[in-house]
Amino acid sequence: HDDDDDDKAKVKKSGLLGEIGSSITSGFDLATSSGPLCEEPMMGVCFIVVKIIENKVRDVDSNKDTYGPFSGQVISTIKDCCRRAFAKQPRRIVEPIYKSDLECSSDFLGGLYAVLNKRRGRILAEEMQEGTANFLVRAVIPVVESFGFGHELRKKTSGNAVPQLVFSHWEILQVDPFWQPKSEDEVEEFGEDQNAMPNVAKQIVNSVRKRKGLWVEEKIVVHAEKQRTLQRKK
């Protein structure tokens, strides 16, 4: 507690930083509590204030109030600066992950693996139960891919495998939601249209923004040619 009091005293004595320190913290909290991708809290992001330049021409009396007009401008400025600095760096989304222990007979392992691969699941361990023909499979699956997972798994395994999903951890999805093909090989493989490429991260971002009523950049009409019927009207 003594160290905390010393740190607070040092901040108070630092002039301008002591006046706007709480406003900087508030702007940082606003920026990190709702990120620009999905308006969700940021994780694992660090912002460094390199330099604070004080404008010599300013009304001293208006800055004495911590919650006055000047503090509101600082909060808004810090929030915008954090968002713009975040947009300059490679951006990734962090998604929640479920873990599940699945017990299945060897006859239906193929169906179990097919369902996990389809939903971006990963198998962590697999071992055979002693005295039986069943396998115990420990796997993880993203939460966003878990909707309808139990129904599809029971269907593919004829009811032999019943999942029990438990939250495990948060994991960074190593896919850039704003990636665009730049080199000749990338353009030849994926084409020039970014929307035509399967981008899991962008699909997750767009689905979250749609659910929250936020603006989504997408083409509603891909091909605008006039459609005609082959049969003539009589």
Side-chain angles (χ1 to χ4, degrees):
H1 296 290
D2 295 339
D3 295 338
D4 295 340
D5 294 338
D6 294 340
D7 293 339
K8 292 180 180 179
K10 291 179 181 178
V11 172
K12 290 181 179 180
K13 295 178 181 179
S14 59
L16 179 63
L17 183 59
E19 295 178 10
I20 66 174
S22 60
S23 300
I24 293 178
T25 305
S26 300
F28 169 80
D29 292 337
L30 287 175
T32 54
S33 62
S34 58
L37 294 182
C38 304
E39 298 297 332
E40 292 286 335
M42 295 184 182
M43 298 178 64
V45 180
C46 176
F47 296 96
I48 301 176
V49 180
V50 179
K51 189 176 182 181
I52 298 178
I53 301 176
E54 181 180 2
N55 189 2
K56 299 300 181 180
V57 182
R58 63 189 183 101
D59 188 3
V60 180
D61 295 333
S62 63
N63 298 332
K64 291 182 179 179
D65 186 7
T66 306
Y67 301 99
F70 182 67
S71 63
Q73 297 176 17
V74 174
I75 292 174
S76 178
T77 302
I78 293 297
K79 179 183 177 181
D80 293 341
C81 289
C82 290
R83 281 175 166 257
R84 293 186 181 184
F86 179 77
K88 294 292 184 181
Q89 301 297 324
R91 290 154 288 180
R92 300 292 183 271
I93 62 174
V94 183
E95 59 179 352
I97 303 294
Y98 278 147
K99 66 178 179 180
S100 178
D101 292 333
L102 304 169
E103 187 175 351
C104 181
S105 65
S106 57
D107 298 334
F108 299 99
L109 278 179
L112 188 148
Y113 291 158
V115 175
L116 287 175
N117 292 333
K118 178 182 177 182
R119 295 176 176 267
R120 297 191 291 119
R122 299 195 317 272
I123 297 174
L124 302 180
E126 174 187 332
E127 58 182 7
M128 190 172 185
Q129 299 290 92
E130 295 183 2
T132 64
N134 294 340
F135 282 83
L136 181 62
V137 179
R138 178 166 297 175
V140 291
I141 181 174
V143 174
V144 70
E145 301 287 350
S146 64
F147 301 101
F149 172 68
H151 175 73
E152 185 178 4
L153 185 61
R154 288 190 294 269
K155 183 178 179 181
K156 292 292 184 180
T157 60
S158 301
N160 193 266
V162 179
Q164 291 183 351
L165 302 175
V166 180
F167 176 77
S168 175
H169 61 281
W170 293 86
E171 188 173 290
I172 299 176
L173 181 59
Q174 296 294 349
V175 179
D176 187 0
F178 302 101
W179 181 83
Q180 293 182 351
K182 297 179 180 179
S183 63
E184 295 182 358
D185 296 336
E186 292 176 348
V187 173
E188 182 178 355
E189 182 177 358
F190 300 104
E192 297 181 355
D193 187 7
Q194 181 187 5
N195 297 322
M197 297 181 297
N199 191 321
V200 178
K202 187 175 182 180
Q203 292 173 0
I204 295 175
V205 170
N206 288 344
S207 64
V208 174
R209 294 184 68 88
K210 284 181 180 179
R211 188 170 68 249
K212 292 185 175 183
L214 303 173
W215 178 77
V216 177
E217 182 181 1
E218 64 177 357
K219 290 183 178 180
I220 299 177
V221 179
V222 180
H223 302 290
E225 292 86 358
K226 185 177 180 180
Q227 297 182 0
R228 299 178 181 178
T229 56
L230 298 178
Q231 185 178 3
R232 295 182 178 180
K233 295 183 179 180
K234 297 182 180 178

